[in-house]
Amino acid sequence: MKNLIAILIAIVITISCNSQKMYSDFDMSYSKSGGLAPIYENLLIKGNNARYSYEGQGKKIKTNFKLTNEDIQNLNKILTQNKFRQIVEDHKKLYDHVSVSINVKNGENSANKTDASMIMPQSKNNWDRVVSAFQDIITKNVKNTQ
């Protein structure tokens, strides 16, 4: 009986670890969350594969889609042109704010940036263009997101 319980626990742990892998094994990610009426929006990109999820405002969407090499190149070009790594985050505390986080794990644009505490004025235009690039991918590939 103890062996059976130990085996079941091992299976549960293995399954739970593998289910979280999809949320950590990505090249780029875009997430938007928070607010008084919370929303949760995530776009994970690994190679040419994308996983999108949205929950909020009474909607729940989950979908997978493929990005073209041109889409990936364009996204990297926008990150480079807008000096993603040099975007300066403010460190003030904000509450009940819908925030966007972008994580790039490899390449010359590798960095983590968020507007959870706002973006400094000198970087605001660059941040907005980067965010727009991710939102364009979502709009182009996902129906009924908002």
Side-chain angles (χ1 to χ4, degrees):
M1 186 67 171
K2 288 182 182 181
N3 288 339
L4 180 61
I5 292 172
I7 291 171
L8 288 174
I9 290 173
I11 290 171
V12 168
I13 290 172
T14 302
I15 290 171
S16 65
C17 290
N18 285 338
S19 68
Q20 294 301 313
K21 185 176 181 183
M22 73 176 151
Y23 297 107
S24 62
D25 186 26
F26 58 86
D27 299 329
M28 290 185 240
S29 72
Y30 165 92
S31 67
K32 183 176 178 180
S33 62
L36 293 173
I39 63 159
Y40 304 95
E41 182 174 38
N42 294 292
L43 173 66
L44 304 174
I45 301 170
K46 177 71 174 174
N48 289 59
N49 299 311
R51 173 181 295 274
Y52 175 80
S53 63
Y54 177 89
E55 187 173 337
Q57 301 171 340
K59 297 178 185 175
K60 197 169 192 176
I61 301 168
K62 286 187 180 186
T63 187
N64 297 327
F65 56 89
K66 295 274 189 190
L67 296 171
T68 65
N69 288 335
E70 184 180 321
D71 290 334
I72 300 296
Q73 289 171 349
N74 186 45
L75 193 52
N76 278 314
K77 181 180 172 185
I78 290 169
L79 290 166
T80 301
Q81 287 174 340
N82 290 287
K83 300 176 181 159
F84 180 67
R85 290 183 66 154
Q86 283 81 38
I87 290 175
V88 181
E89 301 167 72
D90 198 342
H91 297 288
K92 296 177 185 171
K93 298 281 186 201
L94 292 177
Y95 300 96
D96 298 328
H97 168 69
V98 175
S99 63
V100 173
S101 297
I102 297 174
N103 185 351
V104 179
K105 284 193 170 182
N106 52 28
E108 64 185 39
N109 295 307
S110 178
N112 300 321
K113 300 292 177 179
T114 183
D115 68 353
S117 296
M118 303 303 277
I119 298 293
M120 295 298 282
Q122 69 268 25
S123 298
K124 184 75 170 106
N125 289 335
N126 290 6
W127 174 256
D128 290 343
R129 286 188 288 268
V130 170
V131 169
S132 289
F134 281 93
Q135 289 173 336
D136 289 346
I137 287 174
I138 293 167
T139 301
K140 177 180 162 186
N141 293 285
V142 181
K143 306 279 190 264
N144 303 318
T145 59
Q146 309 258 343

